[in-house]
Amino acid sequence: MNDDISASPLSWPPGKPRTPASDRKQGRFGKRNSNGWGLKELTVAEARRRVTTALDKFTRSLQTYRVPPDSIIISSNLALRNDGLPRSGQRDPSDPGVAVYFQLDGQNQCIPCDVYSRIADNLAAIADCIEALRTLERHDASLMRAAFTGFAQLASPEAMGRPHWRTVLNTDSHDPEEVRKAYKAAQRAAHPDKGGSSEAFHAVQEAWQQAMTELSAR
C-alpha cells in the first residue's frame, strides 16, 4: 500500500471527484428499535465493524487471508484509536468523506464515499458496496474482478499522486484565493490570443472546476 496514505487526515483518492457539500444527503443505515419504530443513528464503531466484517468474509474458514487485516486503512478526518482505526463518539468533522484502502488477493484497492453527511453513514455505504461485490463474486467471479478494476485504479500509485488540476494550474496551495490567482495566470497563458490554444484554455477551465469542487468540499 502507498506510504502516502494516512488514516488521519483523510487521504482521498485524487481520481475520484468529491461530492459538493450541498449535494450530500442524510443516510438511513441505523437500526430500528425492537418494536420497529424510530431509526437510531449508526455509530462510527458500528459502521467500522460492518466494513471489517464484510472484508473478512472474502476469506473462507482456515484459509489464507484474501484481505490481510494489516492492509486495511480506514482514512478520514476523525481522531484515531491506538490501533489506528477511527475513534467513535467524537463530533463529525466538516468533511465527512472516508476512504477504505485494502489489499484483495495482493491487489491494492480503494473504495471512497462522501455522498452522506456523516462519516458513519459513508462507512456503512462502503460496507454495503463490499457486500454487493461479494454477491457478484458468488454468481460470476469475472464480474467482481471487472468491478474491482476501477477501485484498483483509485489505489494505484499514479492515481495517488498530485491531483491533475494542481498540475494544470501549477499550484499546491489550499487557499481558494491563491488557487484563483493561479487559475487566472494559467488562463492568461493558455488563451489563444496570448500564444496558447483552445485545447489548453479548455483544460485550464476544467482544472478550475475540479479545483473548486475539491476545495469547496473541505
Side-chain angles (χ1 to χ4, degrees), residues 168-169 182-183 186-187 190 199-209:
V168 175
L169 302 185
Y183 158 65
Q187 187 185 49
E199 291 80 7
F201 189 80
H202 180 67
V204 170
Q205 297 304 114
E206 284 192 337
W208 171 244
Q209 292 300 319

Side-chain angles (χ1 to χ4, degrees), residues 57-76:
K57 289 179 181 177
F58 276 111
T59 304
R60 294 182 180 179
S61 179
L62 302 180
Q63 292 190 348
T64 303
Y65 278 113
R66 295 181 63 192
V67 179
D70 60 2
S71 76
I72 301 172
I73 300 175
I74 298 177
S75 182
S76 73

